[in-house]
Amino acid sequence: MYRQGDVLIVPVDEEAVPDSATEQPGLPRDARGRMVLALGEVTGHAHAVVGPGRLVREAGPYGPLLLHLPDGGRVVHEEHAAIPLPRGWYRVVRQREYVPGAVRIVAD
């Protein structure tokens, strides 16, 4: 497992990846060519992955993201050290917090 700030990145066995995820084209990259895992609403900084691969959103309003890195990659952020990731599939989960009557994604 890997963590950078409020983003958790968990390796997933390829056999456990849903067929729907392997067939999706992937979410668009940002203007800098990165796959953005989480964008800081206040600072504009981003937890992002650089390198070849695809980022796919699973079903649901807060559906986790699946990340495929065929050659590996690096998680980068303006305020954190880069984290190298080996090739493979990963589930990306945003940290959540409880507020009375609801659960929400943690805002950066």
Side-chain angles (χ1 to χ4, degrees):
M1 276 193 279
Y2 306 87
R3 178 175 288 285
Q4 189 183 67
D6 58 351
V7 175
L8 178 67
I9 303 166
V10 182
V12 176
D13 288 331
E14 191 163 352
E15 300 79 34
V17 175
D19 289 338
S20 60
T22 62
E23 297 166 2
Q24 289 185 39
L27 298 172
R29 291 173 181 250
D30 72 357
R32 294 167 58 184
R34 307 173 303 171
M35 295 176 276
V36 175
L37 308 179
L39 181 63
E41 295 83 4
V42 176
T43 63
H45 295 162
H47 297 279
V49 175
V50 293
R54 288 183 305 121
L55 189 60
V56 178
R57 182 171 305 283
E58 291 186 276
Y62 299 112
L65 299 169
L66 285 173
L67 173 65
H68 181 229
L69 299 174
D71 301 321
R74 288 183 315 123
V75 183
V76 297
H77 186 277
E78 292 82 353
E79 297 174 337
H80 299 282
I83 300 172
L85 296 175
R87 63 185 227 85
W89 280 92
Y90 298 89
R91 176 163 278 115
V92 180
V93 182
R94 295 281 309 274
Q95 183 172 335
R96 294 171 174 86
E97 63 185 352
Y98 173 77
V99 291
V103 174
R104 67 178 180 200
I105 299 289
V106 172
D108 192 15

XYZ file of all heavy atoms in Angstrom:
827
model
N 0.835 -1.183 0.000
C 0.000 0.000 0.000
C 0.876 1.241 0.000
O 1.970 1.233 0.543
C -0.881 0.030 1.242
C -2.137 -0.764 1.119
S -3.287 -0.401 2.452
C -2.609 -1.428 3.723
N 0.330 2.282 -0.571
C 1.032 3.554 -0.643
C 0.063 4.648 -0.212
O -1.124 4.575 -0.505
C 1.507 3.837 -2.073
C 2.334 2.723 -2.663
C 1.730 1.653 -3.320
C 3.716 2.729 -2.553
C 2.484 0.623 -3.857
C 4.483 1.708 -3.089
C 3.859 0.666 -3.733
O 4.599 -0.359 -4.266
N 0.581 5.646 0.487
C -0.259 6.776 0.874
C 0.511 8.056 0.612
O 1.683 8.165 0.920
C -0.640 6.720 2.346
C -1.479 7.946 2.737
C -1.988 7.904 4.155
N -3.037 6.945 4.388
C -4.314 7.079 4.012
N -4.687 8.145 3.348
N -5.200 6.158 4.285
N -0.208 9.018 0.033
C 0.346 10.355 -0.131
C -0.765 11.314 0.266
O -1.772 11.447 -0.435
C 0.796 10.595 -1.573
C 1.568 11.891 -1.745
C 1.939 12.136 -3.182
O 1.061 12.371 -4.006
N 3.223 12.075 -3.476
N -0.597 11.951 1.423
C -1.638 12.845 1.923
C -2.929 12.088 2.144
O -2.950 11.059 2.813
N -4.028 12.567 1.562
C -5.342 11.943 1.757
C -5.689 10.922 0.666
O -6.841 10.561 0.495
C -6.429 13.006 1.863
C -6.500 13.926 0.647
O -5.602 13.845 -0.197
O -7.453 14.713 0.553
N -4.670 10.447 -0.057
C -4.877 9.461 -1.118
C -4.195 8.143 -0.738
O -3.017 8.123 -0.400
C -4.308 9.978 -2.461
C -4.414 8.921 -3.534
C -5.020 11.247 -2.885
N -4.966 7.060 -0.773
C -4.453 5.715 -0.504
C -4.432 4.947 -1.821
O -5.418 4.947 -2.562
C -5.351 4.998 0.508
C -4.984 3.572 0.857
C -3.651 3.531 1.606
C -6.080 2.934 1.698
N -3.313 4.283 -2.109
C -3.148 3.535 -3.363
C -2.836 2.091 -2.997
O -1.810 1.806 -2.384
C -2.022 4.150 -4.209
C -2.329 5.627 -4.484
C -1.848 3.383 -5.509
C -1.165 6.402 -5.012
N -3.749 1.190 -3.361
C -3.669 -0.211 -2.952
C -3.487 -1.101 -4.181
O -4.300 -1.033 -5.113
C -4.952 -0.630 -2.211
C -4.877 -2.054 -1.725
C -5.254 0.323 -1.061
N -2.442 -1.942 -4.208
C -2.284 -2.866 -5.331
C -3.480 -3.814 -5.439
O -4.047 -4.232 -4.423
C -1.015 -3.648 -4.983
C -0.300 -2.816 -3.985
C -1.359 -2.065 -3.228
N -3.860 -4.148 -6.666
C -4.986 -5.047 -6.935
C -4.483 -6.149 -7.864
O -3.829 -5.861 -8.870
C -6.149 -4.290 -7.615
C -7.272 -5.231 -7.992
C -6.660 -3.176 -6.733
N -4.788 -7.400 -7.531
C -4.442 -8.507 -8.424
C -5.184 -8.332 -9.740
O -6.373 -7.989 -9.757
C -4.835 -9.856 -7.807
C -3.942 -10.249 -6.654
O -2.753 -9.847 -6.655
O -4.426 -10.945 -5.745
N -4.514 -8.587 -10.834
C -5.116 -8.397 -12.157
C -6.399 -9.219 -12.316
O -7.344 -8.777 -12.957
C -4.118 -8.750 -13.256
C -4.581 -8.327 -14.617
C -3.473 -8.284 -15.651
O -2.300 -8.432 -15.296
O -3.809 -8.096 -16.829
N -6.449 -10.395 -11.699
C -7.645 -11.238 -11.785
C -8.845 -10.591 -11.099
O -9.990 -10.916 -11.408
C -7.394 -12.620 -11.156
C -6.284 -13.417 -11.806
C -4.893 -12.977 -11.373
O -4.708 -12.570 -10.210
O -3.980 -13.024 -12.219
N -8.622 -9.679 -10.163
C -9.707 -9.032 -9.419
C -10.216 -7.761 -10.096
O -11.206 -7.182 -9.661
C -9.237 -8.699 -8.003
N -9.567 -7.341 -11.168
C -9.989 -6.131 -11.874
C -11.211 -6.461 -12.721
O -11.182 -7.398 -13.518
C -8.842 -5.599 -12.766
C -9.314 -4.409 -13.588
C -7.637 -5.248 -11.923
N -12.317 -5.706 -12.554
C -13.520 -5.985 -13.349
C -13.265 -5.808 -14.840
O -12.491 -4.936 -15.250
C -14.526 -4.933 -12.861
C -13.952 -4.324 -11.642
C -12.485 -4.588 -11.642
N -13.932 -6.637 -15.644
C -13.796 -6.536 -17.099
C -14.156 -5.140 -17.591
O -13.538 -4.627 -18.528
C -14.685 -7.567 -17.802
C -14.163 -8.978 -17.626
O -12.955 -9.142 -17.350
O -14.969 -9.927 -17.762
N -15.154 -4.522 -16.946
C -15.571 -3.182 -17.375
C -14.413 -2.185 -17.263
O -14.294 -1.268 -18.074
C -16.759 -2.700 -16.558
O -16.412 -2.645 -15.175
N -13.544 -2.363 -16.278
C -12.408 -1.446 -16.100
C -11.346 -1.665 -17.171
O -10.716 -0.715 -17.624
C -11.805 -1.616 -14.717
N -11.151 -2.891 -17.569
C -10.111 -3.168 -18.569
C -10.527 -2.696 -19.954
O -9.680 -2.473 -20.809
C -9.756 -4.666 -18.614
O -10.910 -5.407 -18.999
C -9.246 -5.146 -17.272
N -11.843 -2.520 -20.175
C -12.353 -2.127 -21.482
C -12.558 -0.629 -21.623
O -12.727 -0.129 -22.727
C -13.668 -2.860 -21.755
C -13.485 -4.368 -21.817
C -14.798 -5.130 -21.738
O -15.865 -4.489 -21.676
O -14.746 -6.364 -21.729
N -12.558 0.117 -20.514
C -12.777 1.562 -20.569
C -11.537 2.286 -21.089
O -10.418 1.869 -20.813
C -13.121 2.108 -19.184
C -14.488 1.716 -18.684
C -14.803 2.398 -17.373
O -14.473 3.559 -17.174
N -15.437 1.672 -16.474
N -11.745 3.395 -21.806
C -10.586 4.129 -22.339
C -9.812 4.896 -21.266
O -8.667 5.235 -21.471
C -11.220 5.093 -23.344
C -12.623 5.265 -22.886
C -13.006 3.956 -22.243
N -10.421 5.202 -20.158
C -9.720 5.949 -19.120
C -10.138 7.409 -19.080
O -10.604 7.966 -20.066
N -9.962 8.025 -17.928
C -10.298 9.433 -17.738
C -9.264 10.309 -18.451
O -8.107 9.924 -18.599
C -10.318 9.766 -16.247
C -11.353 9.002 -15.407
C -11.147 9.276 -13.931
C -12.759 9.390 -15.835
N -9.676 11.511 -18.865
C -8.717 12.390 -19.535
C -7.617 12.871 -18.582
O -7.827 12.975 -17.373
C -9.575 13.566 -20.006
C -10.871 13.453 -19.321
C -11.011 12.071 -18.782
N -6.467 13.149 -19.138
C -5.344 13.687 -18.363
C -5.485 15.206 -18.267
O -6.199 15.815 -19.064
C -4.024 13.316 -19.030
C -3.742 11.829 -18.945
C -2.522 11.443 -19.749
N -2.290 10.018 -19.660
C -1.280 9.467 -19.004
N -0.392 10.225 -18.399
N -1.140 8.160 -18.957
N -4.783 15.800 -17.309
C -4.835 17.255 -17.176
C -3.958 17.916 -18.243
O -3.337 17.237 -19.066
C -4.460 17.696 -15.756
C -2.985 17.536 -15.418
O -2.204 17.020 -16.241
O -2.607 17.942 -14.299
N -3.886 19.231 -18.223
C -3.133 19.983 -19.239
C -1.643 19.654 -19.226
O -0.958 19.852 -20.216
C -3.339 21.481 -19.026
N -1.145 19.134 -18.085
C 0.269 18.772 -17.976
C 0.516 17.307 -18.328
O 1.625 16.809 -18.174
C 0.764 19.076 -16.569
C 0.743 20.577 -16.294
C 0.928 20.943 -14.848
N 2.162 20.442 -14.275
C 2.479 20.585 -12.996
N 1.670 21.234 -12.172
N 3.605 20.095 -12.534
N -0.524 16.594 -18.758
C -0.376 15.201 -19.164
C -0.403 14.211 -18.011
O -0.060 13.050 -18.194
N -0.850 14.647 -16.834
C -0.873 13.781 -15.650
C -2.253 13.162 -15.455
O -3.264 13.730 -15.856
C -0.523 14.585 -14.393
C 0.750 15.358 -14.488
C 0.952 16.259 -13.286
N -0.177 17.180 -13.134
C -0.367 17.965 -12.085
N 0.481 17.965 -11.087
N -1.402 18.779 -12.028
N -2.282 12.006 -14.795
C -3.535 11.400 -14.361
C -3.763 11.897 -12.936
O -3.035 11.534 -12.018
C -3.433 9.876 -14.386
C -3.250 9.311 -15.772
S -3.014 7.518 -15.775
C -1.245 7.420 -15.443
N -4.767 12.754 -12.739
C -4.995 13.387 -11.447
C -5.843 12.481 -10.561
O -6.966 12.121 -10.910
C -5.661 14.765 -11.613
C -6.006 15.366 -10.265
C -4.755 15.687 -12.404
N -5.282 12.101 -9.410
C -5.989 11.265 -8.438
C -6.839 12.114 -7.507
O -7.906 11.696 -7.079
C -4.979 10.464 -7.614
C -3.938 9.655 -8.402
C -3.006 8.931 -7.448
C -4.617 8.693 -9.360
N -6.351 13.299 -7.138
C -7.079 14.213 -6.261
C -6.542 15.614 -6.492
O -5.337 15.816 -6.557
C -6.899 13.811 -4.803
N -7.456 16.562 -6.600
C -7.079 17.949 -6.835
C -7.366 18.755 -5.583
O -8.460 18.660 -5.015
C -7.875 18.516 -8.016
C -7.587 19.954 -8.421
C -6.138 20.094 -8.882
C -8.530 20.385 -9.520
N -6.399 19.537 -5.125
C -6.590 20.395 -3.959
C -7.474 21.575 -4.319
O -7.103 22.409 -5.142
N -8.650 21.635 -3.691
C -9.610 22.688 -4.010
C -9.105 24.061 -3.599
O -9.406 25.063 -4.231
C -10.956 22.410 -3.316
C -11.659 21.166 -3.811
C -11.159 19.876 -3.155
O -10.313 19.949 -2.243
O -11.608 18.805 -3.574
N -8.317 24.137 -2.531
C -7.833 25.417 -2.036
C -6.529 25.821 -2.718
O -6.384 26.937 -3.200
C -7.635 25.355 -0.497
C -7.028 26.640 0.025
C -8.961 25.071 0.194
N -5.571 24.903 -2.780
C -4.237 25.232 -3.278
C -4.072 25.048 -4.781
O -3.170 25.615 -5.372
C -3.184 24.353 -2.591
O -3.433 22.984 -2.931
C -3.215 24.519 -1.080
N -4.905 24.214 -5.385
C -4.733 23.881 -6.794
C -3.676 22.823 -7.029
O -3.439 22.416 -8.149
N -3.020 22.371 -5.953
C -2.042 21.289 -6.077
C -2.780 19.990 -6.365
O -3.960 19.859 -6.068
C -1.228 21.140 -4.795
C -0.373 22.330 -4.506
N 0.140 22.573 -3.260
C 0.050 23.350 -5.285
C 0.852 23.677 -3.291
N 0.806 24.176 -4.503
N -2.068 19.007 -6.918
C -2.720 17.754 -7.277
C -1.862 16.558 -6.895
O -0.643 16.599 -7.027
C -2.997 17.716 -8.774
N -2.520 15.499 -6.424
C -1.895 14.183 -6.323
C -2.117 13.588 -7.708
O -3.261 13.427 -8.143
C -2.589 13.322 -5.261
C -2.487 13.898 -3.879
N -1.380 13.739 -3.091
C -3.370 14.621 -3.151
C -1.573 14.334 -1.934
N -2.773 14.888 -1.956
N -1.042 13.320 -8.413
C -1.165 12.884 -9.802
C -0.128 11.823 -10.116
O 0.886 11.691 -9.430
C -0.998 14.078 -10.739
N -0.388 11.052 -11.171
C 0.533 10.014 -11.617
C 1.080 10.421 -12.975
O 0.323 10.828 -13.866
C -0.166 8.643 -11.706
C 0.761 7.597 -12.291
C -0.657 8.211 -10.335
N 2.392 10.316 -13.108
C 3.030 10.564 -14.395
C 3.535 9.235 -14.941
O 3.941 8.364 -14.191
C 4.183 11.589 -14.277
C 3.646 12.951 -13.929
C 5.209 11.164 -13.256
N 3.467 9.100 -16.244
C 3.885 7.862 -16.882
C 2.735 7.294 -17.685
O 1.600 7.757 -17.590
N 3.013 6.276 -18.492
C 1.956 5.666 -19.291
C 0.974 4.917 -18.400
O 1.355 4.378 -17.364
C 2.705 4.710 -20.219
C 4.024 4.484 -19.589
C 4.320 5.672 -18.725
N -0.282 4.913 -18.793
C -1.290 4.180 -18.029
C -2.667 4.764 -18.236
O -2.883 5.656 -19.053
N -3.618 4.234 -17.461
C -5.020 4.674 -17.540
C -5.581 4.793 -16.135
O -5.246 4.019 -15.246
C -5.879 3.660 -18.297
C -5.644 3.610 -19.755
C -6.570 2.629 -20.470
N -6.480 1.295 -19.898
C -7.503 0.619 -19.375
N -8.700 1.136 -19.343
N -7.334 -0.586 -18.887
N -6.479 5.748 -15.972
C -7.207 5.939 -14.728
C -8.680 5.755 -15.047
O -9.216 6.426 -15.941
C -6.936 7.348 -14.193
C -7.430 7.691 -12.809
C -6.804 6.778 -11.756
C -7.107 9.151 -12.488
N -9.348 4.817 -14.362
C -10.732 4.464 -14.657
C -11.562 4.630 -13.390
O -11.166 4.172 -12.311
C -10.819 2.990 -15.140
C -12.248 2.597 -15.409
C -9.952 2.783 -16.369
N -12.734 5.284 -13.502
C -13.630 5.437 -12.356
C -14.602 4.272 -12.305
O -15.248 3.958 -13.292
C -14.407 6.741 -12.431
C -15.315 6.947 -11.208
C -15.929 8.316 -11.149
N -14.978 9.409 -11.206
C -14.221 9.816 -10.181
N -14.288 9.204 -9.030
N -13.393 10.838 -10.334
N -14.697 3.646 -11.123
C -15.675 2.576 -10.928
C -17.041 3.198 -10.690
O -17.157 4.390 -10.403
C -15.269 1.699 -9.745
C -14.021 0.881 -10.029
C -13.714 -0.081 -8.907
O -13.074 0.338 -7.937
O -14.123 -1.247 -9.021
N -18.088 2.398 -10.787
C -19.458 2.879 -10.646
C -19.706 3.485 -9.273
O -19.079 3.108 -8.285
C -20.423 1.722 -10.890
N -20.644 4.426 -9.222
C -21.042 5.050 -7.965
C -20.571 6.488 -7.889
O -19.600 6.870 -8.533
N -21.273 7.308 -7.086
C -20.928 8.731 -7.021
C -19.535 8.988 -6.456
O -18.876 9.941 -6.842
C -22.008 9.316 -6.119
C -22.525 8.164 -5.334
C -22.369 6.956 -6.213
N -19.092 8.164 -5.527
C -17.745 8.296 -4.979
C -16.923 7.071 -5.321
O -16.005 6.709 -4.601
C -17.791 8.479 -3.453
C -18.528 9.718 -3.037
C -19.736 9.624 -2.366
C -18.027 10.973 -3.335
C -20.419 10.769 -1.991
C -18.707 12.111 -2.970
C -19.904 12.003 -2.294
O -20.589 13.128 -1.938
N -17.278 6.432 -6.428
C -16.608 5.204 -6.830
C -15.102 5.369 -6.840
O -14.596 6.375 -7.313
N -14.414 4.392 -6.273
C -12.962 4.494 -6.283
C -12.425 4.488 -7.714
O -13.114 4.088 -8.645
C -12.487 3.257 -5.523
C -13.677 2.454 -5.208
C -14.894 3.180 -5.663
N -11.221 4.934 -7.837
C -10.549 4.931 -9.126
C -9.687 3.686 -9.239
O -9.112 3.233 -8.252
C -9.655 6.166 -9.257
C -10.349 7.512 -9.192
C -9.319 8.630 -9.069
C -11.205 7.718 -10.420
N -9.591 3.140 -10.434
C -8.650 2.063 -10.716
C -7.570 2.642 -11.612
O -7.854 3.343 -12.580
C -9.343 0.893 -11.412
C -10.209 0.021 -10.517
C -10.974 -0.997 -11.352
C -9.361 -0.682 -9.488
N -6.334 2.358 -11.277
C -5.183 2.876 -11.991
C -4.416 1.706 -12.589
O -4.082 0.765 -11.881
C -4.296 3.654 -11.013
C -2.948 4.149 -11.506
C -3.129 5.183 -12.606
C -2.158 4.729 -10.337
N -4.158 1.768 -13.894
C -3.366 0.727 -14.547
C -2.058 1.342 -15.027
O -2.055 2.311 -15.794
C -4.122 0.122 -15.731
C -3.356 -0.963 -16.396
N -3.167 -1.015 -17.749
C -2.718 -2.044 -15.891
C -2.445 -2.083 -18.056
N -2.152 -2.713 -16.941
N -0.949 0.790 -14.542
C 0.381 1.253 -14.942
C 1.125 0.095 -15.601
O 1.715 -0.736 -14.916
C 1.151 1.764 -13.719
C 0.520 2.938 -12.977
C 1.295 3.247 -11.715
C 0.448 4.147 -13.889
N 1.101 0.011 -16.935
C 1.746 -1.118 -17.609
C 3.268 -1.119 -17.474
O 3.890 -2.169 -17.562
C 1.326 -0.945 -19.070
C 0.965 0.492 -19.207
C 0.468 0.935 -17.864
N 3.850 0.063 -17.237
C 5.310 0.157 -17.104
C 5.738 0.772 -15.777
O 6.889 1.149 -15.616
C 5.892 1.010 -18.242
C 5.567 0.440 -19.607
O 5.591 -0.798 -19.751
O 5.273 1.226 -20.522
N 4.800 0.921 -14.854
C 5.103 1.610 -13.604
C 4.907 3.107 -13.789
O 4.599 3.587 -14.875
N 5.062 3.854 -12.705
C 4.874 5.302 -12.768
C 5.288 5.939 -11.454
O 5.837 5.268 -10.570
N 5.011 7.230 -11.303
C 5.330 7.953 -10.077
C 4.142 8.791 -9.664
O 3.526 9.460 -10.499
C 6.518 8.899 -10.295
C 7.844 8.224 -10.434
C 9.001 9.200 -10.571
N 8.734 10.285 -11.492
C 8.790 11.587 -11.175
N 9.118 11.967 -9.977
N 8.538 12.512 -12.080
N 3.843 8.778 -8.355
C 2.829 9.666 -7.804
C 3.552 10.935 -7.385
O 4.534 10.873 -6.632
C 2.118 9.044 -6.581
C 1.025 9.973 -6.075
C 1.546 7.685 -6.914
N 3.085 12.075 -7.868
C 3.732 13.350 -7.569
C 2.741 14.316 -6.931
O 1.528 14.190 -7.109
C 4.342 13.986 -8.838
C 5.441 13.105 -9.414
C 3.278 14.257 -9.890
N 3.279 15.263 -6.174
C 2.503 16.332 -5.546
C 3.478 17.447 -5.216
O 4.637 17.186 -4.868
C 1.814 15.820 -4.272
C 0.884 16.822 -3.662
N 1.323 17.817 -2.827
C -0.462 16.967 -3.746
C 0.288 18.547 -2.430
N -0.815 18.039 -2.977
N 3.020 18.670 -5.310
C 3.895 19.812 -5.093
C 4.462 19.892 -3.673
O 5.507 20.499 -3.461
C 3.140 21.119 -5.414
C 2.817 21.286 -6.884
C 1.568 20.544 -7.357
O 0.975 19.770 -6.588
O 1.184 20.735 -8.519
N 3.796 19.282 -2.696
C 4.237 19.392 -1.302
C 4.685 18.066 -0.685
O 4.901 18.003 0.518
C 3.114 19.987 -0.456
C 2.741 21.401 -0.881
C 1.525 21.926 -0.144
O 0.717 21.112 0.348
O 1.388 23.155 -0.072
N 4.770 17.005 -1.485
C 5.166 15.694 -0.980
C 6.278 15.119 -1.857
O 6.407 15.487 -3.026
C 3.984 14.706 -1.007
C 2.817 15.109 -0.167
N 2.796 14.948 1.185
C 1.627 15.671 -0.498
C 1.632 15.379 1.655
N 0.907 15.834 0.651
N 7.029 14.190 -1.292
C 8.035 13.475 -2.082
C 7.316 12.552 -3.071
O 6.233 12.030 -2.780
C 8.940 12.655 -1.164
N 7.917 12.355 -4.236
C 7.345 11.450 -5.246
C 7.413 10.010 -4.743
O 8.322 9.639 -3.999
C 8.106 11.580 -6.555
N 6.434 9.211 -5.151
C 6.376 7.800 -4.773
C 6.431 6.963 -6.050
O 5.533 7.072 -6.897
C 5.076 7.472 -4.010
C 4.984 8.297 -2.733
C 4.989 5.986 -3.709
C 3.645 8.170 -2.028
N 7.468 6.130 -6.204
C 7.504 5.254 -7.384
C 6.524 4.088 -7.203
O 6.411 3.536 -6.105
C 8.948 4.766 -7.418
C 9.448 4.901 -6.025
C 8.664 6.010 -5.379
N 5.817 3.750 -8.271
C 4.891 2.617 -8.255
C 5.324 1.601 -9.297
O 5.565 1.950 -10.455
C 3.462 3.074 -8.590
C 2.782 4.034 -7.631
C 1.435 4.469 -8.190
C 2.610 3.404 -6.265
N 5.418 0.326 -8.916
C 5.730 -0.705 -9.908
C 4.550 -0.917 -10.857
O 3.430 -0.498 -10.574
C 5.986 -1.959 -9.069
C 5.613 -1.646 -7.679
C 5.323 -0.185 -7.571
N 4.804 -1.575 -11.954
C 3.736 -1.845 -12.920
C 2.637 -2.670 -12.267
O 2.887 -3.438 -11.343
C 4.284 -2.538 -14.160
C 4.890 -3.900 -13.910
C 5.515 -4.457 -15.196
N 5.138 -5.831 -15.434
C 4.040 -6.254 -16.040
N 3.180 -5.432 -16.506
N 3.789 -7.522 -16.203
N 1.409 -2.493 -12.741
C 0.281 -3.259 -12.224
C -0.986 -2.420 -12.122
O -1.072 -1.316 -12.649
N -1.969 -2.990 -11.429
C -3.261 -2.343 -11.192
C -3.325 -1.884 -9.745
O -2.823 -2.567 -8.846
C -4.405 -3.319 -11.448
C -4.739 -3.493 -12.896
C -4.225 -4.432 -13.737
C -5.664 -2.725 -13.654
N -4.765 -4.294 -14.987
C -5.659 -3.258 -14.959
C -6.496 -1.649 -13.371
C -6.465 -2.744 -15.974
C -7.298 -1.136 -14.374
C -7.275 -1.689 -15.664
N -4.008 -0.746 -9.513
C -4.155 -0.181 -8.174
C -5.557 0.375 -7.998
O -6.161 0.877 -8.944
C -3.156 0.974 -7.962
C -1.726 0.540 -8.069
C -1.066 0.552 -9.289
C -1.026 0.127 -6.941
C 0.253 0.149 -9.399
C 0.295 -0.282 -7.042
C 0.926 -0.269 -8.267
O 2.228 -0.672 -8.355
N -6.064 0.310 -6.786
C -7.302 0.993 -6.412
C -6.889 2.259 -5.683
O -6.053 2.218 -4.782
C -8.164 0.112 -5.517
C -9.412 0.844 -5.033
C -10.481 -0.083 -4.506
N -11.220 -0.605 -5.654
C -11.241 -1.893 -6.016
N -10.603 -2.788 -5.333
N -11.921 -2.284 -7.066
N -7.444 3.382 -6.087
C -7.142 4.674 -5.481
C -8.344 5.097 -4.652
O -9.456 5.218 -5.172
C -6.849 5.736 -6.568
C -6.542 7.083 -5.925
C -5.712 5.277 -7.469
N -8.122 5.315 -3.355
C -9.205 5.654 -2.444
C -8.899 6.994 -1.784
O -7.797 7.184 -1.261
C -9.376 4.564 -1.359
C -10.542 4.908 -0.451
C -9.571 3.204 -2.000
N -9.859 7.908 -1.837
C -9.722 9.192 -1.149
C -10.161 9.031 0.297
O -11.159 8.366 0.580
C -10.622 10.245 -1.806
C -10.246 10.597 -3.226
C -9.080 11.555 -3.323
N -9.217 12.747 -2.513
C -9.837 13.853 -2.880
N -10.397 13.933 -4.066
N -9.907 14.898 -2.078
N -9.440 9.643 1.199
C -9.818 9.608 2.607
C -11.147 10.328 2.776
O -11.410 11.347 2.151
C -8.751 10.293 3.455
C -9.037 10.222 4.929
C -7.873 10.743 5.753
O -6.737 10.725 5.306
N -8.167 11.202 6.940
N -11.989 9.775 3.643
C -13.295 10.370 3.927
C -13.340 10.794 5.385
O -12.596 10.290 6.206
C -14.400 9.355 3.639
C -14.495 9.008 2.169
C -15.447 7.846 1.955
N -15.672 7.583 0.551
C -14.908 6.828 -0.198
N -13.847 6.255 0.306
N -15.182 6.625 -1.457
N -14.243 11.712 5.690
C -14.421 12.138 7.068
C -15.902 12.155 7.389
O -16.738 12.369 6.519
C -13.793 13.507 7.315
C -14.405 14.634 6.520
C -13.673 15.950 6.715
O -12.787 16.026 7.582
O -13.989 16.904 5.992
N -16.196 11.921 8.669
C -17.577 11.932 9.116
C -17.954 13.335 9.548
O -17.208 14.003 10.259
C -17.764 10.971 10.299
C -19.142 11.070 10.907
C -20.229 10.473 10.288
C -19.351 11.784 12.076
C -21.497 10.582 10.819
C -20.618 11.890 12.626
C -21.689 11.288 11.990
O -22.938 11.405 12.521
N -19.085 13.787 9.075
C -19.707 15.004 9.573
C -21.113 14.585 9.964
O -21.678 13.686 9.347
C -19.727 16.136 8.518
C -18.334 16.641 8.241
C -20.401 15.703 7.250
N -21.692 15.159 10.998
C -23.014 14.694 11.446
C -24.004 14.542 10.296
O -24.258 15.471 9.540
C -23.449 15.788 12.428
C -22.149 16.304 12.969
C -21.200 16.265 11.796
N -24.476 13.316 10.146
C -25.468 13.012 9.132
C -24.927 12.673 7.758
O -25.680 12.402 6.854
N -23.599 12.670 7.596
C -23.050 12.400 6.266
C -21.589 11.959 6.355
O -20.963 12.034 7.400
C -23.157 13.647 5.393
N -21.103 11.498 5.226
C -19.680 11.196 5.057
C -19.249 11.958 3.816
O -19.963 12.007 2.820
C -19.451 9.683 4.844
C -18.005 9.397 4.522
C -19.897 8.901 6.072
N -18.087 12.612 3.872
C -17.635 13.368 2.713
C -16.162 13.127 2.461
O -15.414 12.739 3.363
C -17.911 14.852 2.867
C -17.095 15.504 3.947
C -17.364 16.979 4.035
N -16.550 17.554 5.094
C -16.785 18.676 5.688
N -17.829 19.386 5.341
N -15.991 19.135 6.624
N -15.752 13.370 1.226
C -14.343 13.262 0.841
C -13.592 14.399 1.539
O -14.058 15.519 1.593
C -14.195 13.400 -0.694
C -14.960 12.304 -1.424
C -12.732 13.437 -1.106
C -14.366 10.935 -1.304
N -12.413 14.088 2.058
C -11.599 15.105 2.719
C -11.148 16.121 1.679
O -10.682 15.762 0.611
C -10.371 14.459 3.400
C -9.403 15.521 3.916
C -10.812 13.552 4.533
N -11.297 17.405 1.995
C -10.869 18.481 1.088
C -9.455 18.886 1.441
O -9.111 19.033 2.607
C -11.809 19.667 1.211
N -8.643 19.065 0.429
C -7.248 19.455 0.611
C -7.139 20.962 0.757
O -7.751 21.719 0.101
C -6.445 18.963 -0.608
C -4.957 19.057 -0.393
O -4.522 19.229 0.756
O -4.243 18.935 -1.402
